[in-house]
C-alpha cells in the first residue's frame, strides 16, 4: 500500500517553519552569549541573562537536520534511507544536547559569573514555564536598587 506524497505547499511551509526555528534558536543563543561576554569584558554592574537561550545549540543542531531533510525533499532529491537515518540521529542528538546543554550550561554560566564577582539577584528572577530570566549584579546593593526601581 503506497502512501500519498505530501502536497508542495505543505512541504514548503514545513521547510519555512524548520528554517525559521533553526535561525531563531541560533539567534537566541548567540544574542545571550554576546550579552554575557559583553557584561564580563566591560565589567557591567548588572545585566540580565535568559537561561532558556541555552537550549539554542541543541535546537539549532536538531532543527538543522530537519531543515536539510525537508529542503532535500523540496528540491526533488529526498534523502535515501541512510541519509534519513543520519538525519534522525542528528535530530535526536540535538534533543539530548538541548536537555543536557540547558542543565550543564546553566551550571557553567553560574560558575563563570560567580567566579567573576557577580551574584544572582534572587528577588529579580522571572520564571515561566519556558524561561528563566536572571538578573546578575556585582553587589547586593545594586540588586536592592534594581528591585526598588521595579516596584
Amino acid at each position: 500500500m503506497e502512501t500519498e506524497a505530501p502536497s508542495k505547499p505543505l512541504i514548503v511551509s514545513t521547510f519555512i517553519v524548520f528554517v525559521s526555528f533553526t535561525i531563531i534558536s541560533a539567534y537566541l543563543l548567540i544574542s545571550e552569549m554576546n550579552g554575557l561576554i559583553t557584561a564580563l569584558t566591560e565589567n557591567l554592574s548588572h545585566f540580565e541573562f535568559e537561561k532558556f537561550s541555552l537550549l539554542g545549540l541543541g535546537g539549532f543542531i536538531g532543527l538543522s537536520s530537519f531543515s536539510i531533510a525537508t529542503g532535500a525533499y523540496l528540491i526533488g532529491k529526498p534523502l535515501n534511507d541512510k541519509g534519513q537515518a543520519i538525519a534522525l540521529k542528528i535530530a535526536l542528538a540535538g534533543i539530548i544536547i538541548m536537555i543536557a546543554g540547558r542543565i550543564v550550561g546553566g551550571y557553567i554560566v553560574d560558575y563563570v559569573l560567580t567566579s567573576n564577582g557577580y551574584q544572582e539577584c534572587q528577588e529579580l528572577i522571572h520564571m515561566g514555564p519556558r524561561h528563566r530570566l536572571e538578573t546578575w549584579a556585582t553587589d547586593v546593593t545594586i540588586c536592592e536598587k534594581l528591585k526598588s526601581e521595579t516596584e
Side-chain angles (χ1 to χ4, degrees), residues 36-55:
L36 178 67
I37 292 168
T38 299
L40 292 171
T41 57
E42 296 181 6
N43 296 318
L44 298 180
S45 64
H46 68 280
F47 67 96
E48 292 181 335
F49 184 79
E50 175 60 70
K51 285 227 174 135
F52 181 72
S53 67
L54 296 172
L55 298 172

Side-chain angles (χ1 to χ4, degrees), residues 50-132:
E50 175 60 70
K51 285 227 174 135
F52 181 72
S53 67
L54 296 172
L55 298 172
L57 178 61
F60 175 77
I61 291 169
L63 290 165
S64 292
S65 174
F66 288 131
S67 297
I68 290 168
T70 308
Y73 191 86
L74 182 63
I75 62 172
K77 298 185 185 238
L79 300 177
N80 59 22
D81 289 345
K82 185 177 179 181
Q84 289 179 7
I86 292 170
L88 182 59
K89 287 176 185 173
I90 292 171
L92 291 174
I95 292 170
I96 292 168
I97 292 169
M98 283 176 69
I99 295 166
R102 167 61 182 88
I103 296 167
V104 174
Y107 285 118
I108 292 171
V109 167
D110 290 352
Y111 173 78
V112 167
L113 291 173
T114 54
S115 65
N116 280 284
Y118 285 95
Q119 56 188 341
E120 188 176 29
C121 301
Q122 294 292 326
E123 302 85 23
L124 298 174
I125 295 174
H126 299 283
M127 288 179 42
R130 292 181 186 87
H131 80 94
R132 179 182 171 103

